[in-house]
Amino acid sequence: MKNLDEGKIIDIKSFLDYKEGEITNLELANNDGLKLIMMAFDKETGLKPHAAPGDTLLLALEGKAKILVGDNEFIISEGEEIVLIMGIIHNVTSQGKFKMLLILEKEN
């Protein structure tokens, strides 16, 4: 894994800072079957609707965000998770500052 020290307790939220008006990301792992990415959304930022190339587990690390999955809208908060199935259209819009971790299972 990139950017992670083996055998140490970490505070993953501290790995990525917010940038005013932007979304920042940090790739922690990327191999044939898995992609692990941390993202930090400044207030009132978001991702446009898109479909993931594989099943994804989104873990909210800090703050809140509105997640649109197909026609369903959810508010996700720190400590909560949501599963996004490959191919389903979704987006993320921060509700204040928001950090998340994505675990993307790649199709082989």
Side-chain angles (χ1 to χ4, degrees):
M1 290 196 182
K2 302 176 187 177
N3 303 305
L4 296 175
D5 293 327
E6 180 182 350
K8 292 185 179 181
I9 294 176
I10 60 173
D11 176 13
I12 202 163
K13 291 186 287 186
S14 69
F15 282 32
L16 192 58
D17 291 326
Y18 295 102
K19 288 189 181 176
E20 189 173 336
E22 295 183 24
I23 300 168
T24 56
N25 63 64
L26 176 65
E27 187 174 277
L28 300 172
N30 189 357
N31 60 41
D32 290 341
L34 177 77
K35 192 168 194 174
L36 186 60
I37 301 171
M38 186 177 166
M39 300 179 80
F41 294 73
D42 194 27
K43 58 187 175 193
E44 300 176 13
T45 60
L47 299 174
K48 294 180 181 181
H50 64 283
D55 292 344
T56 303
L57 178 61
L58 184 156
L59 297 92
L61 301 174
E62 188 172 88
K64 291 184 180 182
K66 180 172 57 173
I67 312 288
L68 186 64
V69 182
D71 294 328
N72 300 307
E73 185 177 285
F74 303 92
I75 299 294
I76 190 168
S77 300
E78 181 176 335
E80 297 178 327
E81 298 82 28
I82 190 166
V83 174
L84 306 170
I85 303 301
M86 180 177 73
I88 193 163
I89 301 296
H90 62 278
N91 71 357
V92 178
T93 306
S94 66
Q95 307 289 288
K97 293 185 176 193
F98 176 67
K99 288 184 183 179
M100 69 181 191
L101 182 66
L102 289 176
I103 302 171
L104 171 66
E105 178 184 45
K106 294 181 181 179
E107 290 293 310
N108 293 328

